[in-house]
Amino acid sequence: MLFNNTYREEIIEAVFEKTNFCFVVVNEQGLITYLNKNYCDFIEVQLKDVLGKHVADVIENTRMHIVAQTGKEEIADLQYIKGNHMIANRIPLFAHGKLVGAVGTVLYKDTEEWKKMNSHIKDLLMEIENYQKKLSNPRGASYSLQDVVGSSVQINEIKEKIKKVSSGDASILLEGGSGTGKELFSHSIHNLSERSAKPFIKVNCAAIPMELLESELFGYEGGAFTGAKKEGKLGKFQLADGGTLFLDEIGDMPINAQVKILRALQEGEIEVIGTERTQKIDVRIISATNQSIEKLIKENRFREDLYYRINVISIKIPSLKERVEDIRVTAKFLLDKITQGTGKRVISFSDSVMQFFMHYDWPGNVRELENVIESAVHLTNTEIIELKDLPDHMQQSLYITEEGMGLKEIMANAEKQAITGAISQSNGDKIRAAGLLGISKSSFYEKAKKYDL
């Protein structure tokens, strides 16, 4: 027996409201005409508030409006909603041969089975992304200046300097504290240089045992020493031939290895272990250190002549506390990056957390900031990171500093630093400075008056 119109409403309710699926219907303009209760509950909206709104303004990462325009169905497509990957079906709706809209369903909203599958998919997507990076640039330099977050005067000056010096072959020394981004800048220099299509090879001078450093740098012939591979091994200089060799933490390099590096830079050749034959090499040297090389020279731990060779161009990278105005944008960038990787929905920081960030000294710089945010993302139970979500080792710093300042003074000091930095960055244009800080003009003038700025 066929159902008649008497049961039409019951059928619609059973199909659209009594299942575990999420349903949405849009017209040809992409405006929402129907959203079932499951979907409303899932994205935390009221039906009356979203009817007639464009679907892209209500559902993140949706493609419903596109399907409603193209008439092309999309089946079993992954859609990222509220921190999880869902399976979405989007079907065009036709009436009398005319495209009039689209209906969409989202599957596996919150089942335990899907949570397990979702974790697996995230892992696979991250792995694919990693492979794509390697395929697009197999030479090893993954970053560019576009990856440098910040627009402070100091950072902009470094970016401009790098643009000027990258095209040449002069050796560059990057000086800065741990976590300031020295490796990121070295990648940027290589990618802007004429050597960008050639290898970028990194050597962590602090991580290689002293007895292995020479063979790692210059390679060896087969049978050169006990335990050597019979076919021999290419050193980092050979692997970088034609490209760039990045010597990270060069201040930790043993003196005996420094002698050979000096020769390689002076003569443009190396001597492979196990042979007296020299080999011509063409590499550009970028070095990095978080130590004072001048101090190491005075302590006879670093060769002065090598220092002058690697320090043809010096770039000093400021600590995070020296560019307070960059902390806000850097923190937001890192939060977005971390939440994409973890799939957890955390969208911002409370005002008190941001004020604390802008006052804290950050001895570990951007790397420490990233670690703190990652920890807080895992610890928080809300979409906003609060002071209580910060790691235990920072809790004491929340309330008292070495100078004995209380939280109120800490926040006031941080606010003053941020305003001063914004005024400096905008060259005294207070309206632009207010925009940089994301506050109204009147609020900015009020705060500037408060701190006599």
Side-chain angles (χ1 to χ4, degrees):
M1 182 179 105
L2 296 176
F3 290 113
N4 57 36
N5 286 337
T6 305
Y7 306 106
R8 183 173 178 272
E9 291 184 6
E10 286 82 0
I11 293 170
I12 291 175
E13 183 180 4
V15 172
F16 291 101
E17 298 292 353
K18 299 288 181 68
T19 69
N20 290 326
F21 296 167
C22 293
F23 287 91
V24 60
V25 181
V26 301
N27 65 16
E28 68 274 17
Q29 297 174 320
L31 305 180
I32 294 175
T33 60
Y34 178 79
L35 198 68
N36 77 336
K37 186 176 186 302
N38 276 340
Y39 219 150
C40 287
D41 292 343
F42 181 45
I43 60 176
E44 300 175 342
V45 299
Q46 297 291 324
L47 179 61
K48 60 181 176 62
D49 296 330
V50 298
L51 284 178
K53 286 191 174 181
H54 195 278
V55 67
D57 295 329
V58 178
I59 302 173
E60 62 184 313
N61 301 313
T62 184
R63 289 177 52 84
M64 288 293 295
H65 54 300
I66 297 173
V67 173
Q69 291 172 354
T70 64
K72 295 180 180 179
E73 69 178 24
E74 297 179 354
I75 303 297
D77 186 33
L78 283 181
Q79 184 174 345
Y80 193 77
I81 307 176
K82 290 183 73 68
N84 287 289
H85 290 95
M86 307 297 174
I87 295 178
N89 292 329
R90 309 178 188 97
I91 310 295
L93 293 176
F94 292 88
H96 307 294
K98 180 184 176 183
L99 181 62
V100 296
V103 60
T105 61
V106 171
L107 314 180
Y108 300 113
K109 178 169 61 67
D110 56 8
T111 65
E112 288 300 319
E113 180 183 1
W114 176 244
K115 287 180 181 178
K116 295 177 183 177
M117 193 182 301
N118 182 53
S119 297
H120 181 58
I121 288 174
K122 286 178 186 173
D123 186 56
L124 290 176
L125 290 175
M126 290 173 67
E127 186 174 353
I128 289 170
E129 182 180 3
N130 189 40
Y131 284 142
Q132 287 175 332
K133 285 183 178 179
K134 290 181 179 178
L135 286 172
S136 63
N137 195 343
R139 302 291 182 173
S142 307
Y143 304 107
S144 66
L145 280 182
Q146 285 68 43
D147 296 302
V148 178
V149 181
S151 57
S152 62
V153 173
Q154 301 98 313
I155 288 296
N156 285 334
E157 286 177 351
I158 291 175
K159 289 181 179 179
E160 289 305 312
K161 188 172 185 179
I162 284 176
K163 290 175 185 176
K164 291 178 183 177
V165 304
S166 292
S167 59
D169 280 333
S171 298
I172 295 176
L173 177 63
L174 302 172
E175 300 178 272
S178 175
T180 50
K182 298 186 291 295
E183 184 172 351
L184 190 154
F185 283 109
S186 70
H187 284 227
S188 303
I189 294 167
H190 174 78
N191 282 327
L192 285 173
S193 75
E194 299 300 316
R195 298 172 178 264
S196 59
K198 297 294 184 178
F200 175 90
I201 303 296
K202 174 188 173 181
V203 178
N204 189 330
C205 301
I208 302 174
M210 186 181 302
E211 61 273 13
L212 297 179
L213 187 59
E214 192 173 336
S215 63
E216 284 292 318
L217 288 173
F218 308 112
Y220 57 81
E221 292 284 306
F225 51 83
T226 302
K229 296 179 180 179
K230 63 179 181 179
E231 68 274 18
K233 180 182 177 181
L234 295 176
K236 302 297 187 183
F237 269 90
Q238 294 151 301
L239 293 172
D241 194 23
T244 302
L245 183 63
F246 175 47
L247 300 175
D248 196 14
E249 306 300 350
I250 194 170
D252 292 304
M253 179 175 288
I255 286 287
N256 61 334
Q258 292 177 27
V259 176
K260 287 207 169 188
I261 284 192
L262 180 61
R263 177 180 175 181
L265 296 181
Q266 288 176 330
E267 309 297 334
E269 61 183 29
I270 61 171
E271 185 176 306
V272 179
I273 296 174
T275 177
E276 296 180 0
R277 174 173 44 87
T278 59
Q279 180 178 338
K280 285 288 183 180
I281 47 95
D282 171 27
V283 297
R284 182 187 198 174
I285 298 291
I286 300 177
S287 306
T289 182
N290 59 9
Q291 303 184 65
S292 167
I293 300 292
E294 292 92 339
K295 182 179 178 183
L296 295 177
I297 291 172
K298 291 178 181 178
E299 297 171 353
N300 296 317
R301 294 166 54 197
F302 203 91
R303 293 182 63 97
E304 189 171 12
D305 45 7
L306 175 60
Y307 174 60
Y308 293 129
R309 281 286 176 179
I310 64 172
N311 192 31
V312 177
I313 297 171
S314 174
I315 297 177
K316 297 185 185 296
I317 304 172
S319 64
L320 195 55
K321 68 178 180 180
E322 292 177 279
R323 47 188 185 97
V324 176
E325 60 268 41
D326 283 338
I327 290 178
R328 186 181 299 273
V329 66
T330 303
K332 185 65 174 72
F333 170 83
L334 293 172
L335 179 63
D336 292 343
K337 170 186 167 185
I338 290 165
T339 52
Q340 285 177 20
T342 62
K344 190 171 181 181
R345 184 177 171 84
V346 182
I347 60 175
S348 189
F349 307 90
S350 69
D351 290 342
S352 55
V353 167
M354 189 54 66
Q355 290 293 337
F356 173 71
F357 279 178
M358 296 177 76
H359 179 268
Y360 184 67
D361 277 346
W362 299 112
N365 293 291
V366 179
R367 186 181 297 121
E368 182 184 6
L369 176 60
E370 181 171 11
N371 290 341
V372 166
I373 294 173
E374 183 172 8
S375 173
V377 165
H378 287 290
L379 290 172
T380 188
N381 293 318
T382 68
E383 294 183 349
I384 306 295
I385 291 177
E386 303 285 354
L387 289 171
K388 63 182 176 58
D389 301 318
L390 299 183
D392 290 344
H393 73 273
M394 302 188 80
Q395 292 298 323
Q396 185 175 356
S397 298
L398 292 173
Y399 302 104
I400 189 165
T401 65
E402 291 180 2
E403 294 79 19
M405 291 167 58
L407 184 59
K408 184 177 179 181
E409 290 82 4
I410 289 174
M411 291 183 175
N413 191 41
E415 188 173 63
K416 182 178 180 180
Q417 287 183 37
I419 294 171
T420 303
I423 292 174
S424 173
Q425 187 176 341
S426 59
N427 295 318
D429 185 338
K430 294 187 176 181
I431 295 178
R432 182 167 169 246
L436 290 173
L437 293 172
I439 59 178
S440 67
K441 182 174 67 174
S442 59
S443 178
F444 181 88
Y445 279 109
E446 181 183 331
K447 293 178 184 296
K449 181 179 179 181
K450 173 182 176 182
Y451 299 113
D452 196 25
L453 296 175

